[in-house]
Structure formats: structure tokens, C-alpha cells
Amino acid sequence: SIYEMFGNECCLSTGEVIKVIGFKINKLIASICENNEVSRFSAKVELPLNFPGLYKVVADKTPYVSIEEITRKVSIGPTRFGHPCFYSSEDIKLASLTIKHGEQITFNSVEEVNGIMTVNCGVVRNNQSYSFTLPLSQEGKFYECEDDQIYTLKEIAEWKISKCRNRIVKLSSTLHTWDSSNPLPENFDGCLVLTPVYEVQAVMKFRKDIVHILSDLDIEVKDITDCYDIKSFLQPLSLEDVFERTSKEFPMVAEIMERPPGSQKPYNFLYTGKEIVIYKKFQATRVLASEIRSDFPKRHFLIPMSYKGKFKRRPREFPTAYDLEIARSEKEQLHVVATKAFDSPHKELFSVSVGDQFLVQQSQTSEVLYEGRKKLVDVLACEQILRDTYKKVLIPMYMEGAFVEVIHDKKQYQLSEICKEFCLPFNVKVSVRDLSIEEDVLAAMPGLKFEEEITDSYLLISSANNPVESWEIPVYRLNMSVHLLSKDVQTVVPPVTKKTVEEISEEQYYMVRRYENQTLHPPPRPPKKPT
């Protein structure tokens, strides 16, 4: 049987032995959904996995009848997405505790305990976690819990669509302006029913790459697993698989079976068939930065702490008085100028005019007269800068105005100094580019907003044949497969590490921020006007 794979014809001969290593969703068929049902008038459209946008998943109303069915149909694994949550319609009595009906159960991993396959689970009660195991034989009605996270279509395809089921999703953010090539209606913000189209991932005995076979390919196959030595096949590993290996197994030599898509620097040297040395796995800190510009889209970067360029401060903008309170620090007094007028409804509080300058002091409460009654409101105490004096004023915290920071600091800072001395977010411009980088992309930016420090997972690699320099490659943002070689590493000490500024997409930017902030409490909302 001859079929086309990525534009190339491939031949599967009669008698060819294929080792199936996985099933993967190749694309999604989407239908517009109304009231959790497919609209009768909705045309089906084909969406690639890289279709832009962020989505929320709608909890599946169909129950699972056993723990075994959940483990068979739902992805459970060590990564961020591999911890699905369910609740039981009835109490589950265990030796150590009773799981109440409706209580959220997190499924963490599957393992064998005393010859019995079980799932490691957890519940949270009064901010305290309790761990327990459930056997796969446990029966009942288990329903999917609501999920308030947002995902890309690729993440949903990999982790959030159960086998033999569809998935309803709600569009959360489009990330891109609509154009005529978009298969969805203009201004669409509703729900979609996603039906997966699968492909089979396989390896063949005399090929070193991974073969992708569409699931609708018309061929007949026979299962010969029990009578064939499957160890004779190559074992593909993703970067996540490599990262899960113990530290004692490093360094290791590997050959690339499937290169990263595209040719983005610095990963364009990673091609299929290339042998690499993977020295170690580690966590590293990066500063997440965004280009300062009013139009869309903005560019986003992950900057290593070793970046050797220097920065000068740029003015920050504050949309409300409440943002001034958040940005205020003990290290230096915040000096701002108003760019939008505000008329205070209370004579006790100050009305702001365009051009007014203030030194921000502190937040406090103040008594105002509102509809004949006295009320306490949150205010920001400031000093208005006049020509030859200062005037103490109170600005309502709920004020929706606009302020721009006045910068007096002319010093040039290293990245590490900024992270140590100031609170992020922080606005800067490159004043001295990093000369160790061939093309310092940050130097061309009119301004950068340092959003936050993030910690991410990396592998340190180099070329096996000519290890002149080593590279840090991100585990969760680089889609690449390798297989390990039984070769000795020539030198255990890695060559000089060439750290780079990594540019990330809009979707990756939202994902990085989501991962970093999902354990933090959201900031308090600004006070409302008194009513």
C-alpha cells in the first residue's frame, strides 16, 4: 500500500513488520455547539492543532463507570496536564478515610501495588492534602470536574480528549484578528464540539524515523506481538521522556528521530539523524519579557539570567490610582504625571487635571459625605508637586485615570540587578547590547516590559561529533523525538554553554504565565465607588 506522508510517498509492503508506539490526534473536526448539542445548521470545519486561540474545556456530562475505564480513556501522567479531576456520585469508603460524593478527586499516577493496579489520588480539605489509592476494579459513577484553566488546541488534543469521546470547548481568547481564511464565523465566542481524527505512530525495523500512518488508511494488519522480538525496534523518546530519567543516567548519547518543526534559531542545527550528547537535566530561571507597543501582536521573550547586555529604565503606565498603590515601594518614591483628567464626586477628595504631578505616599481611608451620610472610602495619599511647594492631596483609590511614571534614575542595570533591586513588572530599554550574542534581538526593541521571573525545565546538549559548544533546550516547548545510542560519552564535562534569548509565540506566552501563576492567589480587585 502506498500512501503520502508529509508530501512524500511511503510504501508499506506485504509482510512488513511495524511496531505501533502510539496514537496521536492529527487534526480536529469542529462543529458549532448550542446548548451542549451540535447545531443542525452548523457546517463541520477542519482545524489544525496549531489553530490560534485559547479555550476552556466543558466538563463531560457522561460518567465513567469504573476507575479502570478512566485509566484506559483519560491521559494520566507526570506532566502539568496529566492530573485530571473527577468526583463520585456516591461516597467511597476506604480504610483511612471516606471520599464524599461530589468531592473533587485528583488522579496523579497509575502504579502496581502488591500485584494490584491502582491509581494514586488526592483530595484537599481545609487547605490540607490527603493521599490515597483506588484500585482499577473500583466501580461507580465518576464525573469529570469543571476546569477553569485555558488551553491551546494542541494541549486539548494531547491531554483533554478522552479516547472514543468528543470534547466541547469554549473559545476564551482568539489571540489573532479575524480574517477571511478563518474557518470560524467572525466575532465567534461560543462553544465547539471537537471530533478527533487520529494517526498511528509507528517505527519500522529498517527506518530511523517515526512513521505517521493516518487511521483511515485502507490496509489489513495482524497482531504478532506475542511471537516477535520487539526489542529489535528503536524506542523513540520525547524530551519529556528523557527529562523523566534519573540524574544518574546522564550524560547519554542520542540520535534525533524527529526534528523540531520549523527552522527557528538556535534549534535549526537539530536535524533528523544528528547525534547529540545530553549532559544533564535541570531547572533554570528566565525573565519573561514583552515588547512595549500599543498595537498587536507584541513579541515575547524568555531571557536567561546570564544575559550580558545592560538596560535603562523606561516609564511605566498606570491606568488607576490602585495601580499606583501596587507599584509603590519603600526603595524610592514613585513620581507620576497625570495624562487623563478626573473630577472627584466628593469635595473632600482631589480632582485631577492633565499634567498634574504627584509623589505617591501611602494608602489610607478617608471619610466623605455621600448622599447626606458619612462613609469611609479607600484613598491614596499623595503630594502634588507645585511650582515652589508641595500640597497634600487624597485621590480616591477607585479613580480610573491614567498616569505615567517620571524617571529620575539614569543608571544602567544588568538583568540580575533589576531582579534583585526592583519589583516586576518593570519597563526597560536595552542601552548596551549583549556582544556575546551574534544577533541580540532585544536591542532592536523600542522598549521591554519585564513581566516576571519563571522557572522552567531544560536539557543541556551538544553535538556528539563536534562538541564545540552546548545548548540549553526547553523540555516543554520543543517538540522533538530521539532514541538512545549505546555509545560512551567522549567527555563528561560539557563544552562552553551558549545561552540564548528565546522568542516565544503568543500562545506559549499565555501558557508560561498560566503555569507560573496557577499556584498564586489572584491580586485583590480595586475598590469600587461607594454606593
Side-chain angles (χ1 to χ4, degrees), residues 451-464:
E451 309 255 14
E452 60 187 320
E453 289 184 57
I454 69 145
T455 303
D456 211 350
S457 303
Y458 290 86
L459 295 172
L460 184 64
I461 71 165
S462 75
S463 170

Side-chain angles (χ1 to χ4, degrees), residues 230-336:
I230 60 173
K231 293 181 180 178
S232 60
F233 285 93
L234 299 177
Q235 178 60 50
L237 298 172
S238 66
L239 295 186
E240 291 96 325
D241 295 329
V242 175
F243 193 82
E244 290 301 316
R245 300 253 168 162
T246 63
S247 297
K248 293 180 180 179
E249 297 178 70
F250 294 88
M252 57 183 71
V253 182
E255 181 179 348
I256 298 174
M257 295 186 69
E258 198 164 56
R259 61 161 295 166
S263 57
Q264 180 186 356
K265 290 184 179 181
Y267 310 125
N268 51 355
F269 75 98
L270 299 172
Y271 53 83
T272 300
K274 184 179 180 66
E275 292 185 9
I276 59 173
V277 178
I278 307 174
Y279 291 97
K280 64 176 181 176
K281 64 175 186 177
F282 62 99
Q283 301 283 119
T285 300
R286 296 286 189 268
V287 172
L288 177 63
S290 297
E291 179 185 14
I292 298 176
R293 58 187 294 176
S294 55
D295 55 343
F296 191 83
K298 299 177 182 178
R299 296 171 72 180
H300 307 284
F301 307 92
L302 289 173
I303 310 173
M305 299 304 289
S306 59
Y307 179 81
K308 294 182 176 62
K310 290 188 176 182
F311 302 92
K312 279 189 174 181
R313 297 174 64 173
R314 281 282 308 268
R316 291 172 288 177
E317 296 183 0
F318 307 99
T320 69
Y322 181 69
D323 293 294
L324 296 177
E325 163 61 16
I326 294 175
R328 161 180 91 79
S329 73
E330 301 298 329
K331 180 178 173 61
E332 63 177 354
Q333 200 159 35
L334 183 58
H335 178 189
V336 296

Side-chain angles (χ1 to χ4, degrees), residues 67 92 94 105 107 117-119 121 132-136 138 142:
I67 300 297
I92 302 175
L94 304 172
I105 307 169
F107 286 47
M117 294 302 296
T118 62
V119 178
C121 303
F132 57 94
T133 60
L134 290 175
L136 267 59
Q138 179 78 45
F142 299 93

Side-chain angles (χ1 to χ4, degrees), residues 116-248:
I116 300 174
M117 294 302 296
T118 62
V119 178
N120 292 316
C121 303
V123 295
V124 177
R125 294 174 179 172
N126 300 321
N127 295 324
Q128 188 171 349
S129 299
Y130 297 87
S131 299
F132 57 94
T133 60
L134 290 175
L136 267 59
S137 58
Q138 179 78 45
E139 296 183 344
K141 287 186 177 181
F142 299 93
Y143 293 86
E144 196 174 45
C145 294
E146 295 291 340
D147 187 347
D148 60 356
Q149 294 289 339
I150 54 174
Y151 303 93
T152 62
L153 274 189
K154 185 174 184 293
E155 291 170 336
I156 290 171
E158 291 178 354
W159 291 97
K160 296 299 175 181
I161 297 183
S162 302
K163 292 182 178 67
C164 306
R165 295 196 182 193
N166 296 335
R167 169 61 79 187
I168 298 177
V169 299
K170 180 172 175 57
L171 184 62
S172 176
S173 172
T174 59
L175 300 184
H176 292 273
T177 54
W178 186 90
D179 59 39
S180 58
S181 64
N182 193 321
L184 299 178
E186 188 173 4
N187 300 320
F188 175 76
D189 63 352
C191 291
L192 297 171
V193 178
L194 302 179
T195 303
V197 177
Y198 289 90
E199 68 178 22
V200 177
Q201 296 174 303
V203 288
M204 300 164 71
K205 197 158 187 178
F206 300 106
R207 292 183 63 143
K208 287 188 174 182
D209 57 347
I210 297 174
V211 179
H212 301 256
I213 306 171
L214 293 179
S215 57
D216 58 358
L217 187 66
D218 187 17
I219 57 173
E220 291 184 0
V221 295
K222 182 180 179 181
D223 185 359
I224 59 170
T225 306
D226 295 336
C227 57
Y228 199 88
D229 180 19
I230 60 173
K231 293 181 180 178
S232 60
F233 285 93
L234 299 177
Q235 178 60 50
L237 298 172
S238 66
L239 295 186
E240 291 96 325
D241 295 329
V242 175
F243 193 82
E244 290 301 316
R245 300 253 168 162
T246 63
S247 297
K248 293 180 180 179

